[in-house]
Amino acid sequence: MTFGSRLAAAVGRFGSLCVGIDPHPSLLAAWGLPDTPAGLDTFSETVLEAVAGSVAVVKPQVALFERHGSRGMAVLERLLKHSTAAGVLTIADAKRGDIGSTMAGYADAWLRDGSALAADALTLSPYLGFESLRPALTAASETGRGVFVLALTSNPEGASVQHVGGGDSVARRIVQAAAAENDGGTPGSVGLVIGATAGAAVRQLGLDLGALNGPILAPGVGAQGAGRQELLETFAGASGVILPNSSREILSSGPDAARLRQAVATAQRAVDLSGVAEPGTD
């Protein structure tokens, strides 16, 4: 099955919430864990054990493992492997973007069958040109994996690039390019990253999310302020699965597994978008 089809099936079973696994130093300290690879390992495995069987997707933030060097990346490798064994899809939030053989190297690392870092999907940065992502797009297609391309982020600096062009903005071109990769009747595997609070910009720039036929990763839920109303305003009419991502609000409930599970259930109710991912739905 393609990533798009597997994702749709998992969301149909567990709901659309994506749980970020972000071992920030402050969270490790709050959990009583050291800021070491061993602390990362305990943190990550505790989160995975708490959410497995309740959520469709987890999204490890690669930078927070990478800061610990090879031992931190070994923790990430184990987390990806154990997530697969637990039946939880993974999005490696690495935001890779480069050209030529370098991009091919990133694709080989994160999207190749048999790679220790292989995830179900990978976040990508298209700001060297969408076509620079071709090695990753090809690798994902060949191995049944997916990608999420940065399109419209909520950080203030993002507008200085993404909004340029007005009616023919950079963001609009990225959305159109991603949609062109998702032709066919099955759910597409080329997704977008669009901030959950970016509704005003979606409308201002005329982004046609109904034409995407692919998933949208929506960071900004929970501690960053977005809730169901913001999701409705931003993504009504979208044609694919919406994945609201919550990290800190859930993770701050640890290390107790029961409290983590309760936080997940609360977040799932708060972001329930039943019916929103149908064109024309409001």
Side-chain angles (χ1 to χ4, degrees):
M1 295 177 66
T2 65
F3 172 74
S5 296
R6 289 187 290 127
L7 177 63
V11 167
R13 182 178 180 188
F14 297 115
S16 60
L17 179 69
C18 173
V19 175
I21 301 183
D22 299 2
H24 287 280
S26 59
L27 276 171
L28 293 172
W31 280 36
L33 295 172
D35 186 13
T36 64
L40 261 66
D41 197 35
T42 299
F43 181 93
S44 302
E45 293 297 328
T46 300
V47 175
L48 177 61
E49 183 178 350
V51 306
S54 298
V55 302
V57 192
V58 294
K59 182 180 71 64
Q61 173 48 256
V62 170
L64 297 174
F65 295 85
E66 191 172 306
R67 61 187 288 271
H68 288 275
S70 61
R71 292 176 63 200
M73 294 303 284
V75 172
L76 178 58
E77 290 175 6
R78 287 193 294 275
L79 174 61
L80 294 170
K81 180 180 179 181
H82 293 169
S83 297
T84 298
V88 182
L89 296 175
T90 54
I91 302 171
D93 195 357
K95 299 181 179 69
R96 294 299 190 244
D98 216 305
I99 59 174
S101 59
T102 308
M103 188 70 247
Y106 285 135
D108 196 46
W110 295 99
L111 299 167
R112 174 178 56 82
D113 288 341
S115 171
L117 287 170
D120 291 293
L122 174 68
T123 59
L124 298 174
S125 175
Y127 298 111
L128 292 175
F130 189 90
E131 194 57 30
S132 70
L133 305 178
R134 183 56 54 191
L137 297 170
T138 299
S141 176
E142 290 176 347
T143 61
R145 292 183 167 84
V147 299
F148 289 86
V149 182
L150 295 171
L152 195 62
T153 57
S154 57
N155 61 307
E157 302 85 357
S160 67
V161 174
Q162 297 157 15
H163 293 204
V164 170
D168 190 27
S169 65
V170 172
R172 187 175 185 182
R173 291 191 179 200
I174 291 170
V175 172
Q176 291 172 336
E181 300 291 323
N182 289 327
D183 58 349
T186 58
S189 299
V190 177
L192 298 171
V193 181
I194 296 179
T197 57
V202 169
R203 294 186 293 273
Q204 174 191 345
L205 300 175
L207 305 188
D208 183 6
L209 302 184
L212 177 62
N213 189 35
I216 297 176
L217 179 63
V221 170
Q224 295 183 54
R228 189 172 191 275
Q229 186 58 41
E230 287 76 17
L231 292 166
L232 287 168
E233 292 173 355
T234 301
F235 300 112
S239 60
V241 168
I242 311 300
L243 295 173
N245 178 78
S246 182
S247 300
R248 279 178 289 169
E249 188 168 63
I250 291 172
L251 301 177
S252 62
S253 298
D256 182 74
R259 290 186 61 204
L260 282 168
R261 285 191 285 269
Q262 183 178 8
V264 167
T266 299
Q268 285 172 321
R269 290 191 295 271
V271 302
D272 179 17
L273 297 178
S274 300
V276 173
E278 296 295 330
T281 301
D282 55 26

